[in-house]
Amino acid sequence: MAYMDDFCCVHHGLTQEESYEQYASVLRVLEDLGLEDKASKRQPPALRLEILGFLVDTVGQTVTVTSARCERLMAEIDAFLADSGADVGRRDLASLVGQLQWVAQIAQGGQLHLRQCYRARDDFGTEVGPSMREQWGRGVRVRRTAG
């Protein structure tokens, strides 16, 4: 048995009516091929679409992080930096770096800005001390936009 997960069809220059006709056509093809989808996960044609925590805007030609995902990430960063009295394990650091890496996909130079985080994760002994978190906290700059 084969599985397919999360796919997107993009059509340029179609009217709203034509877009919905294409959408229905894709659903018919999937059905004809015997592929089942979850109706609750379907997203009909739109100019703005949320995909895996990113907001894709076809009019503005932008991809941004959703407000909800941004708030969750900021809370994780704040919690990590505020945990100055507790020991943090390598797994905690790796988890935070992984979340930052996901968002860095759409940030210009995002991967480059994570270089120190990768180095800290890879050079990690068993714990991150408060002084390291304070040092990281001084270098953190976040720009939030309305969205």
Side-chain angles (χ1 to χ4, degrees):
M1 178 177 278
Y3 293 92
M4 178 173 55
D5 193 22
D6 293 331
F7 72 95
C8 178
C9 297
V10 178
H11 301 279
H12 297 283
L14 299 180
T15 66
Q16 184 175 9
E17 183 179 340
E18 291 169 330
S19 295
Y20 275 91
E21 288 172 5
Q22 288 292 317
Y23 177 68
S25 176
V26 168
L27 294 177
R28 279 192 306 275
V29 168
L30 292 175
E31 185 179 336
D32 290 346
L33 293 173
L35 298 172
E36 296 180 20
D37 71 320
K38 192 170 190 175
S40 64
K41 292 184 116 185
R42 292 179 189 163
Q43 294 186 347
L47 298 175
R48 293 179 68 176
L49 182 64
E50 184 177 325
I51 302 173
L52 302 173
F54 296 121
L55 184 61
V56 179
D57 183 339
T58 62
V59 175
Q61 297 293 300
T62 59
V63 178
T64 57
V65 179
T66 62
S67 296
R69 184 162 200 148
C70 184
E71 291 302 319
R72 281 194 312 271
L73 182 57
M74 292 304 298
E76 290 285 332
I77 292 169
D78 290 343
F80 184 84
L81 294 174
D83 226 356
S84 59
D87 293 328
V88 176
R90 184 177 195 278
R91 181 174 288 193
D92 299 316
L93 177 59
S95 174
L96 181 60
V97 170
Q99 292 177 56
L100 291 169
Q101 183 176 350
W102 181 254
V103 172
Q105 296 177 82
I106 64 166
Q108 186 172 356
Q111 295 295 327
L112 179 64
H113 294 297
L114 289 177
R115 189 179 306 173
Q116 286 183 312
C117 291
Y118 297 142
R119 189 175 299 126
R121 178 201 60 202
D122 295 341
D123 293 345
F124 200 87
T126 56
E127 298 172 352
V128 175
S131 63
M132 186 178 287
R133 281 193 297 277
E134 290 169 10
Q135 180 181 357
W136 289 344
R138 283 194 303 271
V140 172
R141 289 189 312 256
V142 176
R143 185 183 81 182
R144 294 185 188 190
T145 59

